[in-house]
Amino acid sequence: MGAVVADDGPSGVKAPDGGWGWAVLFGCFIITGFSYAFPKAVSVFFKELIREFGIGYSDTAWISSILLAMLYGTGPLCSVCVNRFGCRPVMLVGGLFASMGMVIASFCTSIVQIYLTAGVITGLGLALNFQPSLIMLNRYFDKRRPLANGLSAAGSPVFLCALSPLGQILQHEYGWRGGFLILGGMLLNCCVCGALMRPLEPSNKSEDTKEPAEKKVKKKLLDFSVFKDGGFVIYTLAASIMVLGLFVPPVFVVSYAKDLKYHDTKAAFLLTILGFIDIFARPICGMVAGLKWVRPRCVYLFSFAMIFNGFTDLMGSMSVDYGGLVVFCIFFGISYGMVGALQFEVLMAIVGTQKFSSAIGLVLLAEAMAVLIGPPSAGKLLDATGRYMFVFIIAGIEVTTSALVLALGNFFCIKKKSEEPHTKEEAAEREELNKSEDKTPEDAKVDSIEVEQFLKDEPEKNGEVVTNPETCV
């Protein structure tokens, strides 16, 4: 059950691109929904927390920030746990932590206690579910990976549409304490999703496969060699800038509508609109990213998505009524969905399957500090100015800057290098191709006969041939 060898993602195992992978995709859908929608849905309870504890906007914004910071900042810890124990047991423990944090938070008597329970403990539990689910999705899908990432990412808006109105109802019927308690019970479903993460194993367990399996136990728990890849460094820098402003508008849009004197239910409905649009944007973007012409240029599509998102924030800063906020949520849902569908697909394409478990942990750690200071700094700005316009402008500038860093860095620093072979294996393969072009027609005919005879004698076995060099390091 989730042993080190089984979860190491051996290069000899071919991605099924279906089968049990659809069950894994369903589990990733649920986990992604809880991980990303939960910090935004909790914002529904902010007004009541402000009244009970006598605090400001920036104080309540720390709850969402700590949740996201734990989701991001514990990335290396999750990578080590996955490489040591496997995805399934890590996710089961994470589900228990996520539920326990919200249950304990329902009995808290100060905002600091809520930071430690709903923020730290629940955030850690969600992190221990989120990262392993992405790793397993990357293992089970190859050709259909962009589509799988888009469908998995759609869990965030689906849960946002459901959790925001549900949170409003729970707050009205049971108060914030009862709402936290019920949400804690719902988070136990993360354990069910963890049970779906069956490790991939080679179909033929011969003696030849046992020796490599023993060597994989000695694998590094955290591989820092990914920093030698210029594409990874540029991606990490751009993503860190992006998350400074990416999560700010969804956190404050409900409070913005309430300050305009709209009813609480009507204000919460804005997140439902945003989520509903986001539901369709992510799978469609995943399908587009999987097209033959688009997939090699996926990084530029990701840059466009970030520019679109930043421009939407800038336009949203001019909203003065409910209609303007509705229009903002529609376009923000489209751009946010594109970013959500592409962010991890681009990372997977950059580092490959073997290093993805370490790469995602290091990327999330780099983003953690930005996530931690993003919404609270926006809350401080709101407390100082009393105007949401400046909050949305700053968020838009940050996201747009990250898009320029990614696109320009990739174009000027990576494009030329990508034309040269990166490894000895690639160089050898290219040399073989050059030799084959110099062969005479007679030699080619002899080679074709030998290949045909070899294929008759040695049929291809599943789990022994890797057909896509992109996912094999």
Side-chain angles (χ1 to χ4, degrees):
M1 173 175 161
V4 180
V5 175
D7 260 335
D8 188 32
S11 59
V13 179
K14 185 177 180 180
D17 269 317
W20 188 257
W22 298 117
V24 173
L25 176 58
F26 175 75
C28 292
F29 177 87
I30 303 295
I31 296 299
T32 304
F34 276 124
S35 299
Y36 276 118
F38 208 80
K40 305 181 192 74
V42 171
S43 64
V44 173
F45 298 93
F46 283 1
K47 281 286 185 179
E48 191 166 336
L49 292 175
I50 290 173
R51 284 194 295 266
E52 176 157 343
F53 296 113
I55 52 181
Y57 287 107
S58 59
D59 297 313
T60 54
W62 273 101
I63 300 174
S64 296
S65 285
I66 293 174
L67 275 168
L68 289 171
M70 292 300 296
L71 183 66
Y72 283 76
T74 56
L77 173 63
C78 295
S79 296
V80 171
C81 291
V82 167
N83 290 331
R84 177 64 183 86
F85 302 107
C87 291
R88 184 184 285 173
V90 171
M91 292 180 68
L92 291 173
V93 173
L96 294 176
F97 270 96
S99 176
M100 181 176 64
M102 291 303 295
V103 171
I104 297 176
S106 65
F107 299 98
C108 291
T109 57
S110 69
I111 192 65
V112 176
Q113 294 174 355
I114 293 179
Y115 291 160
L116 296 176
T117 52
V120 176
I121 299 177
T122 297
L124 176 61
L126 292 175
L128 292 175
N129 275 271
F130 177 63
Q131 187 171 321
S133 69
L134 288 178
I135 294 172
M136 291 301 295
L137 188 69
N138 189 36
R139 304 261 172 84
Y140 269 88
F141 289 92
D142 178 16
K143 294 180 180 179
R144 297 176 177 174
R145 194 182 66 206
L147 176 61
N149 273 305
L151 292 173
S152 172
S156 174
V158 169
F159 273 63
L160 186 59
C161 286
L163 289 179
S164 294
L166 176 62
Q168 197 69 48
I169 294 173
L170 293 177
Q171 177 180 299
H172 183 266
E173 296 293 332
Y174 305 103
W176 70 268
R177 295 184 185 276
F180 276 24
L181 184 63
I182 294 174
L183 290 176
M186 293 176 60
L187 285 173
L188 284 173
N189 287 288
C190 293
C191 297
V192 180
C193 297
L196 295 175
M197 304 298 162
R198 185 172 67 192
L200 275 175
E201 296 180 359
S203 57
N204 298 318
K205 297 181 180 178
S206 61
E207 294 181 359
D208 295 335
T209 61
K210 291 181 181 179
E211 185 176 352
E214 293 175 359
K215 293 180 180 179
K216 288 176 185 175
V217 178
K218 299 180 181 179
K219 181 194 173 187
K220 296 178 182 179
L221 295 180
L222 197 60
D223 190 356
F224 290 96
S225 64
V226 291
F227 284 107
K228 296 179 181 179
D229 187 340
F232 173 78
V233 174
I234 292 173
Y235 175 91
T236 303
L237 176 61
S240 299
I241 300 173
M242 176 187 69
V243 296
L244 277 172
L246 183 64
F247 303 116
V248 170
V251 170
F252 286 94
V253 68
V254 174
S255 298
Y256 189 4
K258 290 181 179 179
D259 276 7
L260 293 176
K261 308 304 180 183
Y262 292 104
H263 192 267
D264 289 357
T265 304
K266 195 173 183 180
F269 187 67
L270 289 171
L271 289 181
T272 303
I273 297 173
L274 191 158
F276 180 78
I277 300 298
D278 200 357
I279 289 172
F280 298 98
R282 298 193 183 215
I284 292 175
C285 187
M287 293 174 63
V288 172
L291 297 177
K292 184 177 180 180
W293 186 85
V294 177
R295 192 170 185 183
R297 302 166 180 83
C298 198
V299 63
Y300 296 111
L301 180 60
F302 184 40
S303 300
F304 168 76
M306 290 191 290
I307 290 177
F308 186 15
N309 184 270
F311 183 76
T312 302
D313 292 342
L314 295 175
M315 294 298 99
S317 65
M318 295 183 285
S319 301
V320 293
D321 56 14
Y322 191 79
L325 292 177
V326 170
V327 174
F328 163 76
C329 287
I330 291 174
F331 284 96
F332 187 88
I334 296 173
S335 60
Y336 189 76
M338 294 177 65
V339 171
L342 294 171
Q343 58 179 338
F344 295 114
E345 167 60 27
V346 172
L347 179 60
M348 290 175 186
I350 290 173
V351 300
T353 301
Q354 299 301 304
K355 294 185 177 182
F356 181 70
S357 61
S358 295
I360 187 175
L362 295 171
V363 167
L364 294 179
L365 177 62
E367 295 175 353
M369 188 59 66
V371 171
L372 188 63
I373 66 176
S377 61
K380 286 287 186 182
L381 181 62
L382 179 60
D383 290 336
T385 62
R387 300 185 64 184
Y388 285 86
M389 179 183 69
F390 300 111
V391 173
F392 283 70
I393 289 176
I394 296 297
I397 292 174
E398 291 165 345
V399 177
T400 303
T401 301
S402 68
L404 296 176
V405 170
L406 181 63
L408 297 178
N410 183 80
F411 184 79
F412 291 107
C413 302
I414 306 302
K415 187 176 181 181
K416 293 182 179 179
K417 294 181 180 180
S418 62
E419 296 175 356
E420 303 176 358
H422 294 287
T423 63
K424 295 180 180 179
E425 290 79 3
E426 292 178 1
E429 184 178 355
R430 185 166 296 184
E431 185 177 352
E432 288 294 329
L433 291 174
N434 293 334
K435 289 181 179 179
S436 64
E437 293 177 356
D438 298 333
K439 289 184 177 180
T440 63
E442 291 78 7
D443 294 336
K445 185 175 182 181
V446 173
D447 288 346
S448 64
I449 295 175
E450 292 177 356
V451 170
E452 183 178 356
Q453 182 63 33
F454 174 76
L455 292 176
K456 290 180 179 179
D457 296 337
E458 297 291 335
E460 179 182 339
K461 299 177 182 178
N462 184 34
E464 296 181 356
V465 178
V466 176
T467 59
N468 187 359
E470 179 187 355
T471 58
C472 178
V473 178

